[in-house]
Amino acid sequence: MPEYVLQVKNLTVQANQKVILKDINLDIEKNSTVILFGPNGSGKSALIKTIVGISGYKIVKGDIFFEGKSIKDLPIHERARLGIGIMFQHSPKVRGVRLEQIAHFLTSQEEKIKSLASQLHLDKIFHRELNFDFSGGEMKRSELFQIILQQPKLLLLDEPESGVDLENISLMGSILDSFLKEQKPASLIITHTGYILDYIQATTGWVMIDGAIHCIGHPREIFETIRKFGYERYRKCL
Amino acid sequence: MRNLDKKLDEKEIQSLANAGLDISEKERIASFLQSDDEILISKTLNPGVEILPIEEALEKYPWSSKFYGKSFQILEKDFPKDTKGGYFIWVKKGVHTYFPIQACLFLKKRKFFQKVHNLIIAEEGAKVYIITGCTVSYTSQESHHLGISEFFAKKGAYINFTMIHSWKEDTMVEPESIAILEEGATFLSNYICLHPVRKVSMYPTAVLLGSNSKARFTSLLLASRDSFQDIGSRVIFRAPQTSAEVISRGVSTGGKIIARGHLKAESPQVKAHLECRGLLLSSQGVIHAIPELETNYQDVDISHEAAIGKISKDEIEYLASRGLSREEATGVIIRGFMDTEILSLPQVLKKEIDNLTDQTVKKGF
């Protein structure tokens, strides 16, 4: 029996009274990495945010199971404490709260905080209020830093490499890769550029179009096809 | 503090500690404690620092009466003459203290109206830290505190004054303070009021008489339901090359805050900034920021910024996604907003004030 960390069953979600996710079904096993492809506005971020419990995404049908238990009625922080971690694509400015403080909420291992902060070159922003005067790259490194300290069983990464220069993508990619290899969590990654595929072992690729999953396949192959032909080819897959 | 337990019970001593009083006196150079109109403690451990009940000081040092009321004369203002008690602090020429002086005004009896007059003089080149805690006994009811404070910072002197107010829902408070600064003097005022209070209204003023003098006022305010805090800071510039900064942070969880500020440049070559930020956490609360800038000189650089906001849903949900409950996230954001870093605290007091702020904010949410 495969050990499912996440199971999404017949999930239909509304935002602003519009259906944005239609009858989604997906399973993610432990120690597997799923890549979610799809054009802008297809519902990828909405799916991740619904799993996390962000407000504004109303489940009208279906359910979400984490390690076999329904989480759809749990508040965000309880889902986080169960082991769901998210790396936001756009994280908000949080006035008065410093990155350093968040690090200390996530773990009490001082050494780990220090070494990871230094590996990710966060010294400059470590004592700063969260996302105040962070560059695009700093924001992503700060997100990766937090999710690794959190040690989740399920990682949800929303475009971890967007706005990051190549040097930092390689740095982040290798840190993420070693985390995945050591902790063997389940992960769901949204990528546009596909750069992240060079650093991690992705197991499955899914294509989401108009709020529905259209195709499942090998992530590399899907990525190459999208690059050559765009997303149109995947409309037929269903 | 020997014999203090004969006058005050354990609970009362604890509330004094919560208002910044160091009972052990280990980290204080001089102490003063007045309960209603009775002086309980007045002593100094440093011959360079004199601390006395005001009436005694005016008798012992006749010259000091020249300063009594002088700051009000400078501003052509009247002041209440029917005061009883208050402290006299005199820091002699060139004396630098590392540990702060502590002064505490305590309200105990029901419906007592405490009226004190304090006089603080820092002689030329002196440097001093003062922490004053004003608080009430659990036995106090509907009491009233009126505190006049006059500060004189002579040439090159430095006064760092921290005031912690810790009142009750039914206390009325009206401090009136004026600081007079000579050439090259510095006056730093830190005000912290995080507990409920029926009404506190004050508009402490610094008058920069000498060139190169500077003033800085910072306040951290938390107004819970039914509390009314009308807090301002005013700086009047009467010499060139003077500067000032006024910073306030106010959180309303249901009470009313009026955050005033007034920079009045009566001289050219003045540089000053006023900043007021408010966080409104309840639909019952009110925050009203009234910043004022005033001058008839062209050659001044004075500015202000004011902003009032709420905690956004995005901020709360972001912290929740890291495992913090809504209450924890709100508490952390408020604690961050009540940033003690904005205060000009001496190192010795920094940790104490941080702990007090931590406790109060935690209790409030």
Side-chain angles (χ1 to χ4, degrees), chain A residues 62-202:
Chain A
D63 205 341
I64 304 168
F65 298 90
F66 180 76
E67 294 185 324
K69 288 188 199 82
S70 168
I71 57 164
K72 78 174 161 77
D73 296 320
L74 294 182
I76 302 173
H77 71 275
E78 284 181 27
R79 300 187 199 196
R81 287 177 192 177
L82 286 177
I84 298 179
I86 177 169
M87 189 173 159
F88 286 94
Q89 186 189 1
H90 304 289
S91 55
K93 289 181 175 168
V94 187
R95 170 87 60 196
V97 183
R98 295 164 206 284
L99 179 56
E100 173 190 15
Q101 274 175 286
I102 298 186
H104 287 102
F105 298 138
L106 295 170
T107 176
S108 51
Q109 293 170 269
E110 195 62 39
E111 274 313 303
K112 195 169 171 193
I113 293 175
K114 272 195 195 141
S115 71
L116 190 61
S118 119
Q119 272 181 66
L120 281 165
H121 309 309
L122 295 171
D123 322 347
K124 219 176 83 197
I125 56 166
F126 194 56
H127 304 288
R128 234 184 259 165
E129 287 172 287
L130 195 82
N131 293 331
F132 278 84
D133 302 318
F134 282 26
S135 70
E138 283 170 339
M139 212 178 266
K140 296 290 175 182
R141 279 181 276 138
S142 138
E143 288 292 301
L144 182 65
F145 173 63
Q146 295 177 53
I147 203 171
I148 289 182
L149 292 180
Q150 195 180 346
Q151 301 232 329
K153 295 176 196 163
L154 172 67
L155 280 84
L156 305 167
L157 311 184
D158 196 349
E159 299 204 28
E161 78 277 61
S162 75
V164 182
D165 58 52
L166 281 174
E167 195 185 333
N168 278 308
I169 287 179
S170 130
L171 172 73
M172 289 174 61
S174 64
I175 288 175
L176 178 62
D177 183 49
S178 42
F179 177 77
L180 297 180
K181 281 187 178 134
E182 280 161 27
Q183 302 292 325
K184 307 191 191 327
S187 46
L188 177 61
I189 303 176
I190 297 175
T191 179
H192 258 294
T193 63
Y195 291 140
I196 198 78
L197 299 175
D198 294 340
Y199 301 95
I200 54 164
Q201 298 284 324

Side-chain angles (χ1 to χ4, degrees), chain A residues 21-61:
Chain A
L21 295 174
K22 285 174 230 158
D23 208 22
I24 305 267
N25 283 286
L26 59 86
D27 303 324
I28 306 178
E29 287 173 43
K30 189 172 157 46
N31 198 20
S32 70
T33 298
V34 171
I35 308 291
L36 191 55
F37 297 101
N40 287 334
S42 59
K44 306 184 298 296
S45 290
L47 175 62
I48 280 190
K49 288 180 180 166
T50 306
I51 296 169
V52 171
I54 300 296
S55 61
Y57 299 93
K58 191 179 164 214
I59 297 178
V60 289
K61 209 185 94 199

Side-chain angles (χ1 to χ4, degrees), chain B residues 50 58 60 97 99 104 129 168 174 246 271 280:
Chain B
E50 179 68 289
L58 293 171
K60 188 171 174 188
T97 65
F99 288 119
C104 209
Y129 300 99
K168 270 174 50 175
E174 302 161 77
V246 173
K271 190 172 164 52
L280 188 57

Side-chain angles (χ1 to χ4, degrees), chain B residues 320-333:
Chain B
S321 78
R322 305 297 185 228
L324 276 77
S325 69
R326 174 170 290 273
E327 291 70 30
E328 287 168 333
T330 310
V332 167
I333 292 172

